């Protein structure tokens, strides 16, 4: 990895007794994401709604690994599957999570079916998404992810896939019966009403809705 690209710098961090390095790009939005997750603790109140500590976590739209790392530090006994479509982000994801043995990285776009999709290359790394044009990228369904990694049940799924949630949650969505809790960031034109319509048949209800980040659990 060429650290000269996009002004990438190494940050040496410590949480409790755990020391780790983060590679962040100054002009790609990485520092803002770090601030939201670790300083503002965007997910803290959402995670407080979970009834038990999750053992199996799937992070869809894992970016460069910051949410997966945050969850690994909070739930050290969990196993986390970090799924990221962008190859550029994925290379940093692997490096950033290298010292976290409970994080498994998967380079693919979470989608309602297996195949290939076009993936855009936005200037801000967290805005990259499935589009009509872009880089041809492997797409993986949740069923195939579960099969490939022998995941019978998912305690917590985090979804932040820049609009890809519309197809993921609306089509071929029977896998939702195997998920207990979801934390999702939704994007226009998908609304909380759409989300509720897709997930309510599987026993989910919205427990928290703040700045387009929602937590849904099964009662």
């Amino acid at each position: 990895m060429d650290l000269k690209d996009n002004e990438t710098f190494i940050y040496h961090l410590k949480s409790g007794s755990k020391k780790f390095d983060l590679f962040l790009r100054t002009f790609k939005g990485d520092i803002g994401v770090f601030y939201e997750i670790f300083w503002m603790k965007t997910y803290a109140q959402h995670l407080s709604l979970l009834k038990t500590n999750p053992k199996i976590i799937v992070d869809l739209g894992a970016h460069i690994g910051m949410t997966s790392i945050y969850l690994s530090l909070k739930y050290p006994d969990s196993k986390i599957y970090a799924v990221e479509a962008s190859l550029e982000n994925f290379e940093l994801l692997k490096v950033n999570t290298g010292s976290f043995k409970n994080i498994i990285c998967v380079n693919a776009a979470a989608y309602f079916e297996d195949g290939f999709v076009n993936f855009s290359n936005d200037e801000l790394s967290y805005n990259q998404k499935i589009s009509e044009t872009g880089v041809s990228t492997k797409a993986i369904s949740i069923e195939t992810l579960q099969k490939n990694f022998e995941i019978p049940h998912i305690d917590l799924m985090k979804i932040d896939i820049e609009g890809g949630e519309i197809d993921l949650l609306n089509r071929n969505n029977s896998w939702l019966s195997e998920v207990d809790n979801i934390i999702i960031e939704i994007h226009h034109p998908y609304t909380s009403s759409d989300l509720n319509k897709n997930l309510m048949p599987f026993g989910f209800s919205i427990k928290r809705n703040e700045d387009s980040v929602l937590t849904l659990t099964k009662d």
Side-chain angles (χ1 to χ4, degrees):
M1 181 172 57
D2 187 355
L3 295 182
K4 295 179 181 179
D5 287 351
N6 301 313
E7 296 290 333
T8 304
F9 292 93
I10 306 173
Y11 296 82
H12 306 290
L13 303 172
K14 182 178 180 181
S15 177
S17 61
K18 176 71 173 179
K19 295 180 179 179
F20 59 100
D21 294 337
L22 277 185
F23 291 73
L24 304 179
R25 297 160 295 188
T26 303
F27 302 114
K28 298 284 283 185
D30 298 350
I31 294 174
V33 176
F34 173 83
Y35 176 78
E36 287 184 6
I37 293 173
F38 286 97
W39 186 257
M40 296 298 294
K41 300 186 182 300
T42 298
Y43 294 116
Q45 292 298 317
H46 294 273
L47 293 171
S48 70
L49 296 172
L50 304 186
K51 296 177 181 177
T52 59
N53 288 351
K55 296 295 185 182
I56 300 296
I57 300 172
V58 174
D59 181 359
L60 302 182
H63 190 233
I64 63 171
M66 284 182 277
T67 298
S68 289
I69 290 171
Y70 179 82
L71 293 171
S72 177
L73 292 169
K74 186 172 181 63
Y75 306 115
D77 295 329
S78 66
K79 180 171 285 187
I80 301 168
Y81 298 89
V83 183
E84 172 58 36
S86 163
L87 182 58
E88 180 185 359
N89 288 341
F90 183 75
E91 291 300 324
L92 282 177
L93 170 65
K94 288 193 299 181
V95 174
N96 284 338
T97 61
S99 65
F100 294 83
K101 303 307 178 185
N102 63 336
I103 299 177
I104 299 168
C105 301
V106 182
N107 185 203
Y111 202 47
F112 73 93
E113 63 181 358
D114 299 324
F116 289 87
V117 294
N118 292 323
F119 205 75
S120 69
N121 186 18
D122 193 272
E123 182 177 345
L124 292 174
S125 60
Y126 54 80
N127 277 346
Q128 298 178 10
K129 57 189 174 182
I130 295 172
S131 61
E132 293 184 1
T133 61
V135 179
S136 181
T137 302
K138 178 183 177 181
I140 189 170
S141 66
I142 303 304
E143 292 94 334
T144 297
L145 181 72
Q146 289 181 276
K147 180 180 178 181
N148 289 353
F149 293 96
E150 299 180 345
I151 309 171
H153 194 82
I154 299 168
D155 299 310
L156 172 63
M157 177 176 283
K158 168 258 176 181
I159 306 173
D160 186 1
I161 51 176
E162 304 302 321
E165 65 271 14
I166 297 174
D167 283 333
L168 180 71
L169 298 177
N170 193 48
R171 306 171 69 179
N172 296 341
N173 61 1
S174 60
W175 53 268
L176 285 164
S177 62
E178 304 297 336
V179 181
D180 285 342
N181 304 280
I182 293 176
I183 299 176
I184 180 172
E185 180 169 341
I186 58 174
H187 305 81
H188 181 79
Y190 198 66
T191 66
S192 59
S193 296
D194 296 324
L195 180 66
N196 194 54
K197 179 181 178 182
N198 289 151
L199 270 61
M200 190 168 57
F202 296 93
F204 285 98
S205 61
I206 297 173
K207 297 299 172 58
R208 186 176 180 87
N209 183 352
E210 184 177 9
D211 296 328
S212 297
V213 179
L214 300 92
T215 297
L216 300 97
T217 66
K218 292 180 176 177
D219 295 327

